[in-house]
Amino acid sequence: MDTRIPTQVDVAVIGGGIIGISTALALARAGLRVAVFEKGAIAGEQSSRNWGWIRSVGRDHRELPLALRANALWRELQQQADVGYRQRGLAYLGGSPADMQGHAKWLESARPYSVPARLVDAADLPALLGAQSARNWAGALYNPEDGVAEPQLATAAIAGLARAAGCQIFEGCAVRGLDLAAGKVRGVVTERGTVGAEAAVLAGGAWSRLFCGNSGVSFPQLKVHASVLRTTPLETGMDLAINGGDFTCRKRADGGYTVSQLGASTADLTPDSIRLMRQFLPAWMAERKYLKLRVGRRFLDELRMPRRFALDAPTPFEQHRILDPQPGMAAISVALEKLKAAFPAFAPARVAAAWAGMIDVTPDALPVMSAVDAVPGFFLASGFSGHGFGIGPAAGELMSELVQGKMPTVDPAAFRLSRFA
């Protein structure tokens, strides 16, 4: 990584996760002078801790154009660097006729986007899965063009491409805030000094709300604690990624499987949970089957964290370099047992490692990719709600277009920050 910070760039990117790095790559390849500032390590938080899915199937329709564009970009990236991408297909299994009706409804409404997904009936499912199941599935919603990549490889590999295109990348260098003149961005204040910039893109993941708030920008975002495990290598015959309802799995490049479940997510009650209750309550009610609310130490930790702070002294971004929560072993252990019960070929699987990360969520579970109207020159790319890794390259392309004032490849209307006004 680079060590000597520049005095002036065209665009400063705040955050070195997959969204920030993908944005930097697109901007650098467009010929702009770009620098990425990461308070901890590249992909140190959720970008290296997710499931590794690259999916269009089952997505909110407003995200489908991005997801389809991302599928194409992942294929291109793999030709340029090893991001661990494999187009293996992805299936949402149906445990009942009602599940299949829901899948059929989604598929019908996705037709205008030309998603190459289809329904697979129970008779054809064994051949698709490649492994014998002990459960009587009703069928599946399947997209052969979806795939997976390796989170521990991908962002670092994309960062290498960005550097090759001229981007500078700084780890262990927190951006404390924006440098403003007459209300407009003229640079960023880092812990190593001020860097002039015509535009600043905040891709701070779970830290974005705190950064925005200190800059006078309201951004409704909360954090969700999500846990994952990986198994020891084993041969099962199953190469595609699957969602079985009470478990998920996908084959890894190392021969093991990444396993989790939607129910492995926990929302810690924090002061922001109370402040944003009105906006998030409908989402909590809709997801209460999968999302557990928890009261614990995190409430006091965030209560003690200042919401406003000066930029000439260490900030919370320097005091908390990397969010590294402990995994919730109960939920992911249940997911592994459910997987073993459904597919006997997984019986020999053992837990090789487990981890957790903090997902940045918005009230409608859609990201914000937008100019911040109140602060000219400031752009926000955050709140990806657990969907960011898969659409990361397309999100970076869109942010690059927005910063440059170009006609976007994908309509960004659904992702504007102003929808929360």
Side-chain angles (χ1 to χ4, degrees), residues 273-331:
S273 305
I274 297 172
R275 296 182 188 109
L276 299 173
M277 182 176 293
R278 180 183 60 82
Q279 289 169 286
F280 274 89
L281 187 59
W284 287 339
M285 296 301 294
E287 297 296 325
R288 63 186 182 277
K289 177 181 177 182
Y290 303 112
L291 185 63
K292 303 174 182 66
L293 294 177
R294 179 176 64 183
V295 181
R297 178 179 174 179
R298 187 147 200 93
F299 186 95
L300 293 177
D301 289 344
E302 295 204 9
L303 184 63
R304 297 188 188 104
M305 190 177 295
R307 298 171 64 201
R308 293 296 179 99
F309 39 85
L311 307 185
D312 58 357
T315 66
F317 308 123
E318 292 135 281
Q319 296 160 1
H320 304 274
R321 295 285 181 182
I322 296 177
L323 287 171
D324 188 23
Q326 292 298 306
M329 291 305 300

Side-chain angles (χ1 to χ4, degrees), residues 232-249:
T232 50
L234 72 160
E235 290 296 329
T236 68
M238 186 183 295
D239 285 336
L240 79 167
I242 61 170
N243 180 356
D246 47 14
F247 64 85
T248 64
C249 81

Side-chain angles (χ1 to χ4, degrees), residues 16 21 28 39 49 80 88 106 114 149 160 163 168 170-171 210 227 230 239 243 276 281 314 327 341 356 376 409 413:
I21 293 296
K39 63 182 176 56
R49 300 165 185 249
Q80 302 163 36
R88 293 288 187 259
W106 180 91
S114 300
R163 290 198 70 209
Q168 293 179 281
F170 302 90
E171 291 184 307
L210 183 63
S227 300
R230 67 176 175 89
D239 285 336
N243 180 356
L276 299 173
L281 187 59
T409 304

Side-chain angles (χ1 to χ4, degrees), residues 97-186:
D99 288 341
M100 295 305 297
Q101 290 172 7
H103 292 331
K105 183 178 180 181
W106 180 91
L107 187 60
E108 182 61 30
S109 58
R111 292 297 183 198
Y113 302 94
S114 300
V115 179
R118 68 176 188 266
L119 296 179
V120 178
D121 61 27
D124 294 330
L125 198 54
L128 174 68
L129 295 174
Q132 191 64 37
S133 180
R135 283 172 62 171
N136 294 321
W137 302 101
L141 173 63
Y142 170 63
N143 187 349
E145 295 190 10
D146 284 346
V148 299
E150 297 301 328
Q152 289 78 22
L153 293 176
T155 304
I158 298 170
L161 295 174
R163 290 198 70 209
C167 175
Q168 293 179 281
I169 300 176
F170 302 90
E171 291 184 307
C173 184
V175 173
R176 294 174 172 175
L178 301 173
D179 182 29
L180 303 176
K184 299 180 180 180
V185 169
R186 69 176 181 185

Side-chain angles (χ1 to χ4, degrees), residues 22-385:
S22 296
T23 300
L25 173 62
L27 288 167
R29 286 183 169 175
L32 278 71
R33 294 174 299 165
V34 187
V36 177
F37 301 96
E38 165 55 48
K39 63 182 176 56
I42 295 300
E45 297 187 344
Q46 186 60 19
S47 290
S48 64
R49 300 165 185 249
N50 58 83
W51 296 354
W53 286 17
I54 298 166
R55 69 176 175 92
S56 59
V57 66
R59 277 197 185 270
D60 187 300
H61 299 142
R62 290 166 289 184
E63 280 188 344
L64 280 175
L66 270 176
L68 296 172
R69 177 61 180 155
N71 279 2
L73 291 176
W74 278 108
R75 290 192 291 270
E76 294 176 12
L77 286 169
Q78 184 60 35
Q79 296 173 0
Q80 302 163 36
D82 184 11
V83 294
Y85 172 76
R86 287 99 66 206
Q87 189 182 65
R88 293 288 187 259
L90 195 150
Y92 274 41
L93 303 181
S96 67
D99 288 341
M100 295 305 297
Q101 290 172 7
H103 292 331
K105 183 178 180 181
W106 180 91
L107 187 60
E108 182 61 30
S109 58
R111 292 297 183 198
Y113 302 94
S114 300
V115 179
R118 68 176 188 266
L119 296 179
V120 178
D121 61 27
D124 294 330
L125 198 54
L128 174 68
L129 295 174
Q132 191 64 37
S133 180
R135 283 172 62 171
N136 294 321
W137 302 101
L141 173 63
Y142 170 63
N143 187 349
E145 295 190 10
D146 284 346
V148 299
E150 297 301 328
Q152 289 78 22
L153 293 176
T155 304
I158 298 170
L161 295 174
R163 290 198 70 209
C167 175
Q168 293 179 281
I169 300 176
F170 302 90
E171 291 184 307
C173 184
V175 173
R176 294 174 172 175
L178 301 173
D179 182 29
L180 303 176
K184 299 180 180 180
V185 169
R186 69 176 181 185
V188 295
V189 180
T190 80
E191 62 181 289
R192 300 186 200 171
T194 298
V195 177
E198 296 176 12
V201 178
L202 174 61
W207 294 95
S208 296
R209 173 172 166 80
L210 183 63
F211 188 99
C212 283
N214 196 52
S215 303
V217 176
S218 176
F219 177 36
Q221 178 195 54
L222 293 176
K223 296 183 280 291
V224 170
H225 176 286
S227 300
V228 191
L229 65 81
R230 67 176 175 89
T231 73
T232 50
L234 72 160
E235 290 296 329
T236 68
M238 186 183 295
D239 285 336
L240 79 167
I242 61 170
N243 180 356
D246 47 14
F247 64 85
T248 64
C249 81
R250 63 100 178 166
K251 193 169 186 178
R252 301 167 54 87
D254 60 16
Y257 284 80
T258 295
V259 178
S260 189
Q261 61 164 313
L262 296 176
S265 298
T266 303
D268 289 291
L269 185 68
T270 65
D272 272 346
S273 305
I274 297 172
R275 296 182 188 109
L276 299 173
M277 182 176 293
R278 180 183 60 82
Q279 289 169 286
F280 274 89
L281 187 59
W284 287 339
M285 296 301 294
E287 297 296 325
R288 63 186 182 277
K289 177 181 177 182
Y290 303 112
L291 185 63
K292 303 174 182 66
L293 294 177
R294 179 176 64 183
V295 181
R297 178 179 174 179
R298 187 147 200 93
F299 186 95
L300 293 177
D301 289 344
E302 295 204 9
L303 184 63
R304 297 188 188 104
M305 190 177 295
R307 298 171 64 201
R308 293 296 179 99
F309 39 85
L311 307 185
D312 58 357
T315 66
F317 308 123
E318 292 135 281
Q319 296 160 1
H320 304 274
R321 295 285 181 182
I322 296 177
L323 287 171
D324 188 23
Q326 292 298 306
M329 291 305 300
I332 51 177
S333 296
V334 168
L336 180 58
E337 292 308 311
K338 295 284 189 180
L339 173 61
K340 291 180 178 182
F343 294 95
F346 284 88
R350 299 292 179 266
V351 177
W355 62 89
M358 288 295 191
I359 296 173
D360 47 318
V361 300
T362 61
D364 58 7
L366 287 176
V368 168
M369 289 179 280
S370 165
V372 178
D373 296 334
V375 185
F378 185 32
F379 296 82
L380 179 59
S382 191
F384 283 81
S385 304

